[in-house]
């Protein structure tokens, strides 16, 4: 009998952890007026280190958004906010009790079919991400930008906290300075490509001329250090042909990789 009661309590505990309706989050949002603003969300959502996890999403990605939110809550990461690219995503997120604000300057007519990598739509969305990171940095917060289609195997924040101030840490497919981020945003605004070349060319110099090691470089004007994360710990979808795998998590562990995000 006792064993059954213990099992029932365990089920209740798991349900509390996996409760993606976010009732507890709704309580903290209850004191805010609609529509939620970026500034008001930052003040109640950031952790004790003034760090925010930022996601940017449109309505066609709402299922991925909820999967991402549930995963973060399972990992007990609650200091996240969502930048909605459209009013539909804002409304949906509010109904789910999510800390969300709407970016009125976001590109219009964003659809899943038209926003694949390399398209003009994709480029416009990536520019929104850089612009939002820059805006939050100017408000004196640390920012971790994560796409909603990124699966978090673990919480990377403790590792990221180990870097000193003035270091921009990035996931990379190659081997919190506000002024440097401003340069990236301005470079991306005049580019016909995504924001990735703007990061590389602006912060590490064309051809990597500012590199000081295989995984870092220093931008001379702002003295910002850029550190590229170990791809074995932070792989992207192209690494080891992960996009072709049926069971990504199993294949990663079979390869002996310990993923943090």
């Amino acid at each position: 009998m006792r064993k059954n009661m213990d099992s029932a309590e365990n089920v209740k505990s798991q349900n509390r952890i996996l409760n993606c309706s976010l009732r507890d989050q709704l309580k903290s949002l209850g004191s805010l007026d609609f529509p939620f603003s970026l500034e008001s969300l930052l003040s109640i959502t950031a952790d004790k280190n003034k760090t925010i996890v930022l996601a940017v999403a449109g309505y066609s990605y709402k299922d991925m958004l909820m999967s991402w939110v549930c995963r973060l809550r399972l990992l007990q990461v609650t200091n996240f906010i969502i930048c909605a690219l459209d009013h539909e995503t804002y409304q949906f997120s509010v109904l789910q009790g999510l800390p969300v604000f709407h970016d009125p300057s976001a590109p219009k007519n964003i659809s899943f079919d038209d926003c694949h990598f390399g398209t003009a739509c994709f480029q416009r969305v990536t520019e929104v991400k850089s612009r939002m990171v820059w805006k939050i940095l100017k408000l004196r917060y640390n920012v971790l930008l994560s796409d909603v289609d990124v699966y978090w195997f673990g919480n990377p924040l403790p590792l990221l906290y180990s870097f000193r101030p003035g270091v921009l840490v990035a996931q990379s497919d190659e081997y919190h300075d506000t002024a440097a981020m401003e340069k990236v945003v301005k470079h991306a605004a005049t580019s016909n490509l995504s924001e990735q070349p703007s990061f590389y060319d602006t912060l590490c110099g064309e051809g990597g001329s500012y590199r000081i090691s295989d995984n870092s470089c220093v931008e001379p004007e702002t003295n910002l250090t850029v550190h590229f994360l170990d791809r074995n710990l932070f792989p992207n979808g192209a690494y080891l042909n992960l996009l072709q795998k049926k069971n990504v998590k199993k294949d990663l562990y079979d390869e002996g990789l310990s993923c943090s995000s």
Side-chain angles (χ1 to χ4, degrees):
M1 183 69 172
R2 179 63 187 172
K3 183 176 181 181
N4 289 337
M5 291 177 63
D6 290 342
S7 297
E9 287 299 318
N10 184 56
V11 169
K12 290 180 181 178
S13 176
Q14 289 297 318
N15 286 338
R16 283 194 293 268
I17 293 174
L18 294 172
N19 177 21
C20 293
S21 65
L22 308 183
R23 286 175 297 184
D24 292 338
Q25 195 122 24
L26 276 172
K27 293 178 183 178
S28 64
L29 297 176
S31 61
L32 300 181
D33 294 326
F34 290 103
F36 297 155
S37 69
L38 171 60
E39 290 79 5
S40 63
L41 289 174
L42 289 173
S43 66
I44 67 168
T45 307
D47 66 10
K48 63 181 181 181
N49 297 307
K50 293 195 69 176
T51 297
I52 282 291
V53 179
L54 171 68
V56 178
Y59 193 66
S60 58
Y61 280 79
K62 65 182 185 300
D63 293 336
M64 287 186 181
L65 170 62
M66 288 308 300
S67 177
W68 181 84
V69 167
C70 288
R71 183 61 187 169
L72 263 63
R73 287 187 64 81
L74 179 64
L75 296 171
Q76 300 182 41
V77 177
T78 59
N79 56 321
F80 63 86
I81 59 175
I82 297 153
C83 173
L85 293 173
D86 47 59
H87 188 64
E88 292 80 8
T89 305
Y90 177 80
Q91 288 184 314
F92 171 81
S93 300
V94 168
L95 290 175
Q96 298 299 324
L98 302 179
V100 60
F101 66 98
H102 180 213
D103 176 21
S105 62
K108 309 300 181 185
N109 301 321
I110 300 171
S111 69
F112 183 85
D113 293 332
D114 296 333
C115 256
H116 295 302
F117 179 82
T119 62
C121 176
F122 178 86
Q123 178 193 346
R124 293 195 301 270
V125 171
T126 57
E127 289 174 359
V128 171
K129 298 174 185 178
S130 299
R131 189 172 65 249
M132 281 301 142
V133 169
W134 177 33
K135 187 172 183 177
I136 295 172
L137 287 173
K138 289 194 295 182
L139 293 170
R140 311 302 293 175
Y141 288 87
N142 305 308
V143 192
L144 170 57
L145 174 66
S146 174
D147 289 335
V148 295
D149 60 354
V150 170
Y151 184 86
W152 288 39
F153 289 94
N155 180 2
L157 290 174
L159 171 63
L160 300 180
Y161 290 148
S162 67
F163 291 91
R164 62 175 176 79
V167 176
L168 188 150
V169 182
Q171 182 190 37
S172 175
D173 56 1
E174 296 182 4
Y175 265 118
H176 320 271
D177 182 279
T178 308
M181 197 66 202
E182 180 180 7
K183 294 179 68 174
V184 172
V185 171
K186 290 182 176 179
H187 187 281
T190 60
S191 172
N192 293 323
L193 303 173
S194 73
E195 92 288 1
Q196 290 183 357
S198 297
F199 271 102
Y200 295 137
D201 292 349
T202 302
L203 300 182
C204 286
E206 294 189 15
S209 58
Y210 302 155
R211 282 185 179 271
I212 58 174
S213 68
D214 289 341
N215 62 0
S216 61
C217 53
V218 175
E219 200 283 319
E221 186 174 334
T222 61
N223 201 34
L224 174 77
T225 297
V226 181
H227 180 91
F228 295 105
L229 293 165
D230 184 345
R231 285 189 294 171
N232 289 328
L233 294 175
F234 296 86
N236 65 12
Y239 186 52
L240 297 177
N241 294 318
L242 292 178
L243 291 176
Q244 311 303 320
K245 307 291 186 180
K246 292 183 177 180
N247 189 331
V248 175
K249 187 172 184 179
K250 178 180 181 300
D251 285 316
L252 284 170
Y253 286 130
D254 287 346
E255 292 284 347
L257 304 179
S258 177
C259 289
S260 297
S261 70

